[in-house]
């Protein structure tokens, strides 16, 4: 809902008071939040209590953060299967305390070898058929989550695949009660899901009604798939029995993924993008995510302003955040893509001097018109390859679209940290369960640009940088992030939310560092989001009307209502070492520690 008209009618009468509103709105505007969960030794925070419990049990049994994260991820694939699972992909940041090293595992899906840039263009009409990239078998990219989990476990875990799969197998076999979020998501997606007999068999009653709140969901095929993985390892999925089922489904239902695509899939180890904010070190996800780069870019810009003085969610603070967001998203639209296919000016985008140049033309009380990207290449040392291609982003995304990905955070008693964001993209992914496996196939192909100027599910449009190509990874916004202070771990952060992931992570970090909120308050505080296109400033419920009015007066096209994202975070007290977990009140997750 746009508030412009509403505001206009008030405007004449109150414009003389606006200066007072500016003054009054400096200060705290956050609702009361529950106290964070605290623990001494280890903690798991995820979007579902049963998944957090699975991870906690692993920690208590002597497992490390990797063991717990992988167990939690497998459990989430059962109890929150509409958001993530082995039919999808993930990004993980792992901090190893004993080596003081941060590892990045890129388990992003990959386009099949037979994928083509115009594969979703209808031959007869010449137009993109958005249905094809979002629903059904053709929407699925080669899954990477399992390979990434397996790599993490083999290299950095202490338990076997069988051990960490155990809780998930139990949950899939014995069933669990559908939560409100799950039941609502299933009801919303029922028409998409009903079309596929293998999916219908899992989620519907024989009379065609979907399972409802509190009903038990049993996933025996998924349990069996997990058992095969426990016995045979991830090779069963990428070249063995499960691979054969995937390929048979592709043949039967005209999908593209081949045995070669599966055997060729490799998770990639990457270096984190690293930045700093007011003395804290920020480690985050590099391309093919846009998340870490733009998080650091926005923090660099905001560091130039005294947000602490201006106050949490005051008009000026939100205005400055929006200005930073606009500049970052304008760059995102042009420079970001799979680094194996496109050169990304990471050094320039994350440099302090580039941020200075962007911050310099921000007006304190007036929004600026951003017509295109900045010039981060000017801040890249010589010898780095030059700009390859363009993609632009536009459109809206409603709150309903915003919670179909998942983030989990883990800290163990040795001080190892895991931030993992996993997804099958939109709710229930492609909606297609691979027959006989219980695996929901992702629809991550929709994160590519299907054709220049054509919007995807999230209202994103693009061209070359993010065009479909064989074995290319689609551009993501997922932003698993670790924060350190003088070498000591301080925060583990992440969220779902499509493009709003990046701004959510930014706000949680600023709410703690600038405004001194505890981790639960930092997560629950109302959010603002701007993604350059559309040129709209989105405000969650809870931002006071006087602040809305001021932002309108500064020139923003303000849009209010609803809420988005679902941050699951841990803060480590720098003095005591105690762990504080925050789980987003917008979801039904849990922070569990011991
Ligand atoms: O990788 C991405 O950026 C998207 N596939 C994430 C989707 C998402 O967060 C959906 N909902 N909350």
């Amino acid at each position: 809902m746009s508030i412009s008209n509403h505001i206009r009618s008030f405007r004449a009468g109150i414009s003389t008071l606006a200066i007072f509103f500016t003054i009054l709105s400096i200060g705290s505007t956050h609702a009361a939040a529950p106290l964070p969960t605290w623990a001494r030794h280890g903690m798991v925070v995820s979007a579902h209590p049963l998944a957090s419990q699975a991870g906690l049990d692993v920690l208590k049994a002597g497992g490390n953060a990797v063991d717990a994260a992988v167990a939690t991820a497998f459990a989430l694939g059962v109890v929150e299967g509409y958001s993530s699972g082995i039919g999808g992909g993930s990004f993980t940041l792992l901090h190893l305390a004993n080596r003081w090293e941060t590892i990045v595992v890129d388990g992003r899906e990959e386009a099949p070898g037979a994928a083509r840039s115009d594969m979703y263009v209808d031959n007869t009409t010449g137009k993109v058929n958005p249905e094809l990239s979002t629903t059904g078998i053709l929407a699925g990219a080669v899954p990477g989550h399992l390979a990434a989990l397996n790599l993490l476990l083999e290299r950095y875990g202490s338990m076997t695949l069988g051990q960490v799969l155990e809780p998930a197998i139990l949950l899939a076999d014995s069933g669990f009660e559908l939560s409100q979020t799950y039941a609502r998501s299933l009801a919303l997606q029922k028409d998409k899901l009903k079309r596929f007999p293998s999916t219908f068999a899992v989620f519907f009653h024989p009379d065609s009604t979907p399972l409802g709140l509190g009903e038990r969901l049993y996933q025996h095929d998924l349990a069996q798939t997990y058992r095969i993985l426990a016995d045979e390892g991830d090779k069963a999925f990428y070249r063995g029995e499960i691979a054969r089922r995937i390929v048979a489904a592709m043949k039967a239902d005209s999908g593209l993924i081949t045995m070669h695509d599966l055997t060729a899939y490799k998770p990639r180890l990457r270096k984190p993008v690293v930045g700093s904010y007011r003395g804290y070190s920020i480690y985050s996800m590099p391309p093919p995510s846009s998340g870490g780069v733009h998080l650091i870019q926005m923090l660099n810009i905001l560091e130039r302003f005294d947000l602490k003085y201006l106050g949490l969610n005051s008009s000026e603070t939100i205005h400055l955040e929006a200005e930073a967001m606009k500049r970052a998203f304008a760059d995102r639209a042009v420079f970001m893509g799979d680094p194996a296919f496109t050169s990304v000016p990471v050094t320039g985008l994350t440099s302090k001097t580039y941020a200075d140049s962007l911050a310099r033309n921000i007006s304190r009380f007036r929004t600026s018109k951003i017509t295109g990207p900045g010039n981060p290449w000017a801040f890249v040392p010589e010898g780095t390859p030059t700009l390859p291609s363009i993609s632009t982003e536009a459109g809206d995304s409603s709150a309903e679209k915003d919670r179909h990905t998942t983030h989990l955070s883990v800290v163990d008693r040795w001080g190892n940290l895991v931030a993992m964001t996993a997804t099958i993209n939109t709710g229930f992914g492609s909606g297609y369960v691979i027959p006989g496996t219980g695996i929901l196939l992702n629809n991550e192909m929709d994160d590519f640009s299907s054709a220049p100027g054509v919007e995807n599910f999230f209202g994103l449009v693009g061209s070359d940088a993010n065009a479909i190509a064989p074995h290319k990874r689609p551009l993501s916004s997922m932003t698993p992030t670790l924060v350190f202070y003088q070498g000591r771990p301080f925060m583990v952060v992440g969220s779902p939310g499509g493009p709003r992931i990046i701004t959510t992570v930014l706000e949680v970090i600023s709410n703690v560092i600038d405004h001194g909120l505890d981790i639960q308050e930092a997560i629950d505080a109302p959010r603002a989001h701007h993604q350059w296109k559309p040129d709209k400033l989105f405000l969650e419920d809870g931002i006071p009307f006087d602040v809305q009015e001021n932002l309108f007066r500064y020139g923003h096209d303000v849009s209010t209502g609803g809420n988005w994202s679902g941050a699951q975070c841990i803060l480590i007290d720098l003095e005591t070492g105690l762990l504080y977990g925050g789980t987003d009140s917008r979801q039904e997750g849990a922070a569990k520690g011991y």
Side-chain angles (χ1 to χ4, degrees), residues 32 68 71 77 181 234 242 255 264 267 293 311-312 385-386 414 426 486 504 509 524 555:
T181 319
D234 78 329
I242 300 161
V293 165
L312 171 71
T386 50
W414 298 281
T426 68
Q486 295 182 346
T504 295
I509 291 173
D524 286 349

Side-chain angles (χ1 to χ4, degrees), residues 108 401-405 425 444 447 458 476-477 497-498 501:
R108 185 68 163 167
K401 296 173 186 173
D402 276 341
R403 270 187 286 261
H404 304 122
T405 287
N425 197 22
E444 221 71 52
D447 270 353
F458 293 101
S476 173
S477 298
I501 293 173

Side-chain angles (χ1 to χ4, degrees), residues 275-348:
S276 68
Y277 185 61
R278 304 196 203 278
Y280 292 80
S281 304
I282 314 290
Y283 284 60
S284 194
M285 189 65 210
S289 182
S290 59
V293 165
H294 295 305
L295 170 68
I296 290 169
Q297 182 185 12
M298 291 187 288
L299 289 170
N300 284 342
I301 294 173
L302 291 173
E303 203 174 34
R304 271 69 196 138
F305 302 94
D306 191 348
L307 298 190
K308 182 185 167 79
Y309 170 76
L310 296 174
L312 171 71
N313 279 341
S314 68
S315 319
E316 272 196 72
T317 294
I318 295 180
H319 165 68
L320 293 170
E321 285 173 353
E323 292 302 301
M325 290 171 188
K326 276 160 60 173
R327 284 157 176 81
F329 273 87
D331 284 353
R332 181 191 192 275
V334 174
F335 299 114
M336 304 305 286
D338 181 343
F341 289 73
T342 198
S343 308
V344 183
V346 173
T347 321

Side-chain angles (χ1 to χ4, degrees), residues 115-272:
R116 295 291 173 263
S117 62
D118 62 353
M119 65 187 277
Y120 300 120
V121 177
D122 188 304
N123 285 340
T124 45
T125 64
K127 291 195 173 142
V128 167
N129 179 353
E131 175 87 356
L132 292 177
S133 62
T134 54
T135 307
I137 201 160
L138 212 55
V142 182
H145 192 35
L146 175 64
L149 294 178
N150 191 62
L151 180 148
L152 278 160
L153 197 67
E154 277 191 348
R155 290 205 186 188
Y156 309 107
S158 70
M159 291 180 161
T160 64
L161 199 54
Q163 284 172 303
V164 295
L165 274 162
E166 222 169 85
I169 292 172
L170 203 64
L171 287 166
D173 250 346
S174 327
F176 65 96
E177 289 184 355
L178 289 198
S179 67
Q180 297 183 66
T181 319
Y182 201 129
R184 203 180 308 130
S185 190
L186 187 50
L188 263 174
Q189 303 288 341
K190 66 177 189 308
D191 294 334
K192 161 167 123 179
L193 302 178
K194 248 185 214 171
R195 292 166 40 179
F196 308 105
S198 50
T199 311
F200 183 90
V202 181
F203 299 106
F204 288 79
H205 293 293
D207 71 354
S208 289
T209 54
L211 294 189
L213 174 63
E215 290 194 90
R216 255 186 134 67
L217 172 63
Y218 298 93
Q219 296 170 88
H220 300 301
D221 282 352
L222 186 58
Q224 182 55 20
T225 294
Y226 277 179
R227 259 185 234 109
I228 294 170
L229 297 177
D231 289 344
E232 298 173 23
D234 78 329
K235 64 180 185 307
F237 186 99
Y238 289 100
R239 55 188 75 231
E241 183 176 341
I242 300 161
R244 284 192 286 279
R245 289 194 182 188
I246 295 172
V247 173
M250 295 292 150
K251 290 212 171 103
D253 288 323
S254 309
L256 294 187
I257 299 173
T258 62
M259 188 59 89
H260 174 74
D261 291 330
L262 289 166
T263 53
Y265 184 86
K266 295 278 173 295
R268 292 188 201 285
L269 285 167
R270 300 191 185 274
K271 295 251 176 286

